[in-house]
Structure formats: structure tokens, C-alpha cells
């Protein structure tokens, strides 16, 4: 088995006939991906990076069902932008609502320097009062020019309160 989750009870694991470690990369042949105890999918050849070695790639797909959204499917990609920055971008499709593209950019610099930008939206196909579409954009960061000079940003844009109230996954953020 292989996982990046902490033991003794990891959330997910790959079970395989053969696993090989080579320069920080684990390769599994005839791998079965299990979330908690249930099998999710099988793959003939799966690669997994050992933690702290970041590479770009396609993330695990999302699939589910929800009374508010209907059937949900989607996927995203993870792109490393050097040693100190990365980007996750993708889209979900809500059967009852439409497409929901999203992206998150993260930067971690020297010392306390950092930057984060998060974009989420819903392109609701409904019109009139039942349209819950919207855009949520958040940017925050810090850059120290010298010991006494610093630039800071903490900005946000929300196009529709109803959008956030309906589609925010965190109760505290929604309210």
C-alpha cells in the first residue's frame, strides 16, 4: 500500500500488486484506490509523488450527488510554478445549476512574504429570481521591502450574497 496521509488511520491508500520507489516517486502496477475502506477506482499504472516533491498533474475527479446542486462532477489540475508558487484550476458541473469554474494561486516567499488569490464562480443557467450565479474573488498577501517597509493586501469581491449563502461550503464564511 501507499499513501501520503498520516498513520495509524489514513483516509486514502493505493493497494497494488507491485509498488516501486525510485528517486522520490512511487509507481504502482494494477493499483486499487480506496477512500476510507471503500474502493473508488482501479488503474493499470499509477504514480504518486513522495511528499515535499511537487509536480504538476491532474487531481482526482469529483463525483457526487446533492439536494441543492444535483449530480456533481468535475476535475482540476495542479500546476507548480517554481519552488514557491502553485496554481489549482478546474471546474465542477452541477446538474441543477450549471458550470462552476474555480482557481487558487498560492505564493510563499522569503520570510513572511506570501500571496494567495482565490476565484470561484457559478454560471447558473437559470434566469430571474431562481438565478443563484455569482463570483467570489479573494486576494491577500504580504511583501516586506525592508525591515521598516511592507506592502499588504486583503481584498475581496462578491457579486451576489445569495451565491455565497447557497454555495459556500463553510458555514462561518457563508454567514
Amino acid at each position: 500500500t501507499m499513501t501520503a496521509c498520516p498513520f495509524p488511520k489514513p483516509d486514502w491508500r493505493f493497494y497494488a500488486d507491485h509498488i516501486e520507489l525510485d528517486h522520490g516517486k512511487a509507481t504502482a502496477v494494477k493499483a486499487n484506490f480506496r477512500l476510507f475502506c471503500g474502493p473508488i477506482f482501479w488503474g493499470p499504472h499509477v504514480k504518486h509523488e513522495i511528499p515535499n516533491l511537487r509536480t504538476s498533474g491532474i487531481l482526482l475527479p469529483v463525483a457526487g450527488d446533492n439536494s441543492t446542486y444535483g449530480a456533481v462532477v468535475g476535475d482540476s489540475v495542479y500546476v507548480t510554478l517554481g519552488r514557491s508558487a502553485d496554481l489549482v484550476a478546474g471546474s465542477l458541473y452541477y446538474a441543477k445549476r450549471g458550470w462552476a469554474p474555480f482557481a487558487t494561486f498560492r505564493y510563499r516567499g522569503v520570510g513572511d512574504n506570501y500571496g494567495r488569490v482565490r476565484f470561484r464562480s457559478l454560471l447558473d443557467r437559470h434566469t430571474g429570481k431562481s438565478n443563484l450565479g455569482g463570483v467570489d474573488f479573494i486576494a491577500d498577501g504580504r511583501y516586506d521591502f525592508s525591515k521598516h517597509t511592507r506592502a499588504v493586501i486583503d481584498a475581496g469581491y462578491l457579486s451576489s450574497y445569495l451565491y455565497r449563502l447557497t454555495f459556500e461550503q463553510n458555514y462561518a464564511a457563508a454567514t
Side-chain angles (χ1 to χ4, degrees), residues 19-122:
I19 297 176
E20 183 178 311
L21 291 172
D22 183 29
H23 300 299
K25 294 181 183 178
T27 304
V29 178
K30 297 180 184 173
N32 179 352
F33 178 75
R34 295 183 189 183
L35 183 61
F36 299 106
C37 292
I40 302 297
F41 72 85
W42 177 89
H45 186 80
V46 176
K47 288 185 179 180
H48 175 66
E49 298 293 322
I50 304 296
N52 299 328
L53 297 176
R54 303 174 332 136
T55 60
S56 301
I58 299 172
L59 299 176
L60 290 173
V62 174
D65 193 24
N66 183 292
S67 60
T68 304
Y69 317 136
V72 179
V73 294
D75 205 357
S76 55
V77 296
Y78 175 78
V79 181
T80 58
L81 303 170
R83 290 181 47 179
S84 58
D86 58 35
L87 172 73
V88 174
S91 186
L92 297 172
Y93 177 74
Y94 301 126
K96 289 184 178 179
R97 289 292 166 185
W99 289 99
F102 60 89
T104 301
F105 168 80
R106 301 181 306 170
Y107 162 76
R108 186 70 187 172
V110 177
D112 293 329
N113 297 338
Y114 76 95
R116 285 186 296 243
V117 177
R118 186 189 81 180
F119 165 80
R120 293 186 309 166
S121 66
L122 173 65

